[in-house]
Amino acid sequence: MIADPSHLNHADDPSDHAERRAALAREIGASAIAVIAATPERNRNNDVDYPYRPNSDFRYLTGFGEPCAIAVIAPGREDGAYVLFCRERDPAAETWIGHRAGTEGAMARFGADQAFPIEEFDARIGDMLSTRKYLYMTQGIHPEFEQRLLARLNDVRSRGRHAAPPEHIITLNSVVHEMRLRKSPAELALMRQAAATSAAGHCAAMRAARPGVYEYQLEATLHYIYGLDGMHWAYPTIVGAGANACVLHYVENASALADGDLVLIDSGAEYRGYAGDITRTFPANGRFTDTQREVYDIVLAANEAAIAACRAGAKANAPHQAALETLVDGLLELGFVTGDRESVMADERYKTFFMHGTSHWLGMDVHDVGAYKQDGEWRALEPGMVLTIEPGLYIPPGTEGADPRYWGIGIRVEDDVVITGGDPEVMTSAVPKAPAAIEALMSEHA
């Protein structure tokens, strides 16, 4: 766990969000306006809602964590470029569901130049739109609001020849997502915190594992560690023992660990909106068998080869290619496929055992935003980008071409890597992945 819990008292720094809004304003220009809404609360069942988390783009630009909020960024606007529409204070409602910032708090705490009650959005947005040539709005993130905004745009158009509504509608997604792809030093600091707690959770789960323990008990161990650090899971935790590890998004977590099983855990903590994402695979009884080591060593070598390929200037697919070549070589050595590396890669015979990519961007979303290609070509990696490295091999029972002694083995090894100006930074190195280190850690039973 994180030794210093003082981070729990820190709110998002408003200056970080102000810098992002300023960058967005420069990008869209003085003749444009950007409008983005927080996604609504969602019902879980009857009168129980899911815990609220605003959509990542909205939080990235505003830091505002309440539902029923709309941000308007209008560069050069006389009364202020940043307007936030939100719920007003309501002592009776706050008694039941907690504090609201209100319009005063939106300005005092969250940096809005002006703030208005959310009920006034429809009445006020028309005048804000009427002086702009370009409207930047989200597409597919909050469909209900997006239709509402288009209706208000049509209202402006209906005013006649004296109105000057935006002539062009441009997706805000790609602009903000390109901004989010390169993490600032402040964002990287948050991600290191998420990675540290994620690693602590994985270490605790390894110590707690033994035959007879249930998958859900290891899940609970991870979530307990996250909670101690004031965090929660970034995505549903995967704990797959034995053949369950061959199901990529297995989340039932209901089986008991059997002696001789490998256990695959894919889990990460979220800290102030930023995700960790770690996968480790280890023996339930604390000792790898020779057969398990044969497969594990191939996956570990692929993980290390892919991390070594995480260099500024390399193509975004370079880590995957490095991992894939290592995995294919291993499959050939095991006799799972025949031929040579080039032919196996060309006809994708490896996909029986490795059917997913090696990397994805990581940030506010565990599968974070940002284009992998530009003009049809893989983009170059740049300092500040963060990606996962997660090669794996999966051999479900009954797999053709694999000796039955390998059946039921599923292995993935995943780390979170920052692209720097030099060697890649592995934020998740605190949780062991070398077999001897895993076995040593597991001997320290909880």
Side-chain angles (χ1 to χ4, degrees), residues 57-249:
D57 288 349
F58 185 84
R59 179 167 183 171
Y60 179 80
L61 292 171
T62 69
F64 196 74
E66 297 181 24
C68 303
I70 303 168
V72 178
I73 299 169
R77 180 173 173 270
E78 184 175 343
D79 294 323
Y82 175 37
V83 182
L84 189 61
F85 293 85
C86 62
R87 302 176 302 185
E88 278 286 30
R89 297 291 307 278
D90 182 338
E94 290 176 55
T95 297
W96 288 91
I97 58 175
H99 178 77
R100 295 178 180 180
T103 52
E104 290 185 4
M107 292 185 287
R109 294 169 48 207
F110 294 95
D113 298 311
Q114 282 189 314
F116 299 106
I118 188 66
E119 295 81 5
E120 296 183 14
F121 174 79
D122 287 348
R124 291 182 178 273
I125 190 60
D127 288 342
M128 296 181 188
L129 291 172
S130 66
T131 59
R132 303 285 162 159
K133 185 175 181 181
Y134 302 96
L135 167 61
Y136 284 79
M137 59 179 288
T138 61
Q139 294 184 355
I141 293 177
H142 188 344
E144 302 97 327
F145 173 75
E146 291 157 11
Q147 290 300 313
R148 176 182 170 190
L149 180 57
L150 290 174
R152 300 292 76 76
L153 177 60
N154 286 333
D155 290 344
V156 178
R157 289 170 175 160
S158 69
R159 293 178 184 178
R161 65 179 182 273
H162 297 295
E167 300 172 10
H168 306 280
I169 299 175
I170 303 172
T171 178
L172 183 61
N173 304 32
S174 58
V175 179
V176 176
H177 294 177
E178 190 69 14
M179 293 170 58
R180 284 174 53 190
L181 182 54
R182 300 166 186 82
K183 274 61 178 181
S184 68
E187 290 180 285
L188 291 175
L190 298 179
M191 295 189 72
R192 292 185 187 104
Q193 294 269 33
T197 293
S198 301
H202 277 263
C203 290
M206 287 185 187
R207 293 189 188 99
R210 58 181 60 84
V213 169
Y214 280 83
E215 294 165 342
Y216 59 76
Q217 292 176 311
L218 298 185
E219 175 187 24
T221 299
L222 287 147
H223 294 180
Y224 172 70
I225 297 299
Y226 300 167
L228 286 179
D229 274 350
M231 304 185 199
H232 49 78
W233 50 264
Y235 55 94
T237 289
I238 296 167
V239 183
N244 293 338
C246 299
V247 180
L248 298 183
H249 288 167

Side-chain angles (χ1 to χ4, degrees), residues 321-388:
Q321 289 301 115
L324 183 57
E325 290 177 2
T326 304
L327 292 174
V328 169
D329 288 346
L331 292 172
L332 288 165
E333 291 176 11
L334 292 173
F336 291 1
V337 293
T338 59
D340 54 48
R341 178 200 288 176
E342 289 70 24
S343 66
V344 173
M345 292 177 66
D347 61 21
E348 299 185 336
R349 273 175 285 150
Y350 62 85
K351 284 195 171 181
T352 300
F353 308 96
F354 177 51
M355 63 294 294
H356 59 78
T358 301
S359 298
H360 56 75
W361 304 130
L362 183 67
M364 297 188 80
D365 297 312
V366 67
H367 289 172
D368 209 29
V369 295
Y372 292 91
K373 291 184 176 182
Q374 294 178 316
D375 299 323
E377 299 293 332
W378 291 101
R379 75 185 306 153
L381 296 174
E382 301 175 30
M385 293 178 176
V386 182
L387 68 164
T388 64

